[in-house]
Amino acid sequence: MGHTGILNLKIMRNYLKFGFAFILGIACTNSGFAQKRVTKTTKVSVVKSRPVLRNNVVYATPRKKIVTVRTLPKPYVVIKQNGNNFYYDNSKFYRLNGGRYVPGFPSVGLRINVLPVGFKTVIFNGRKFYTQNGIYFVKYQNDYEVIKPEIGTIVDELPSNTEKVIVDGITLYEYNDVLYEKIQVNGVRAYEVVGNIE
């Protein structure tokens, strides 16, 4: 084979490599889009656009009875915020009421120095935060601060005592005054934050 034939063969191989790489790149890009596919079942734009008033929320089942305890598991710490004491045992928060400890939710802005046992990391809009039992935290200096989750945040599960509610004729889920919509992500069930109750 002459010099020209060898040169043409090398050019042909380069074209084939480039073509294969180009097709592979398109396939990877398309699979990347598929991995982010979210399927929703309802329209919740009204809920997302404004806070929902509590008297506009209809609970599908009677409210569950709150179970109080006389003593807390040890060790626990006392966290003061705005004149209120929260008792924290590294997985749950309590308030003292009439000599008994009532499970509760910490206020936005409360800070702890260690994340609760069993927390999960969630990234939304390029921001990393942490969630455990329906409570959301963000890193703040050397602590973790309680925040409200942003509208659009997706989590893979909700706490076991989440309530099913009806808002403007739409079935949603409520926990700690946060409203969620059941969605599908890649064919797997998940929940998207769609609003807050005031």
Side-chain angles (χ1 to χ4, degrees):
M1 182 180 292
H3 180 69
T4 305
I6 293 173
L7 185 59
N8 286 339
L9 185 59
K10 286 182 178 178
I11 291 171
M12 183 70 86
R13 283 182 184 161
N14 286 340
Y15 275 126
L16 288 173
K17 286 180 185 176
F18 174 79
F20 180 76
F22 180 75
I23 291 168
L24 184 61
I26 289 174
C28 290
T29 301
N30 287 339
S31 67
F33 286 133
Q35 290 174 2
K36 296 179 182 178
R37 194 177 77 210
V38 176
T39 305
K40 299 184 180 186
T41 56
T42 60
K43 302 288 184 186
V44 292
S45 57
V46 175
V47 176
K48 289 182 177 181
S49 64
R50 57 174 169 72
V52 175
L53 298 178
R54 191 168 301 281
N55 58 4
N56 290 337
V57 179
V58 178
Y59 285 82
T61 56
R63 283 278 192 159
K64 295 177 182 175
K65 184 178 178 181
I66 297 174
V67 178
T68 62
V69 294
R70 289 189 186 276
T71 58
L72 292 179
K74 293 183 180 179
Y76 67 86
V77 295
V78 180
I79 304 170
K80 294 184 180 292
Q81 185 192 32
N82 300 329
N84 296 315
N85 286 346
F86 290 89
Y87 301 84
Y88 173 58
D89 73 353
N90 201 31
S91 65
K92 293 182 181 176
F93 290 87
Y94 299 86
R95 290 184 183 187
L96 187 59
N97 185 0
R100 295 185 70 89
Y101 295 95
V102 182
F105 300 106
S107 304
V108 169
L110 183 135
R111 293 176 190 157
I112 56 177
N113 57 15
V114 177
L115 286 169
V117 172
F119 74 88
K120 292 189 176 181
T121 302
V122 178
I123 297 176
F124 180 69
N125 280 344
R127 184 183 187 196
K128 181 190 286 187
F129 58 94
Y130 310 91
T131 181
Q132 192 267 349
N133 197 32
I135 301 169
Y136 296 79
F137 303 86
V138 68
K139 180 78 172 164
Y140 181 86
Q141 297 177 356
N142 294 325
D143 294 323
Y144 298 92
E145 184 174 302
V146 175
I147 61 167
K148 275 190 177 181
E150 293 182 46
I151 302 297
T153 301
I154 295 174
V155 293
D156 58 359
E157 62 182 356
L158 296 177
S160 60
N161 51 345
T162 298
E163 300 276 357
K164 185 182 283 190
V165 298
I166 309 295
V167 179
D168 295 334
I170 302 167
T171 299
L172 300 172
Y173 299 86
E174 180 269 332
Y175 190 80
N176 189 20
D177 292 338
V178 177
L179 293 169
Y180 299 84
E181 178 189 15
K182 186 190 294 184
I183 62 173
Q184 295 276 324
V185 178
N186 296 334
V188 178
R189 183 177 59 194
Y191 299 89
E192 179 182 355
V193 175
V194 294
N196 294 285
I197 300 174
E198 284 189 353

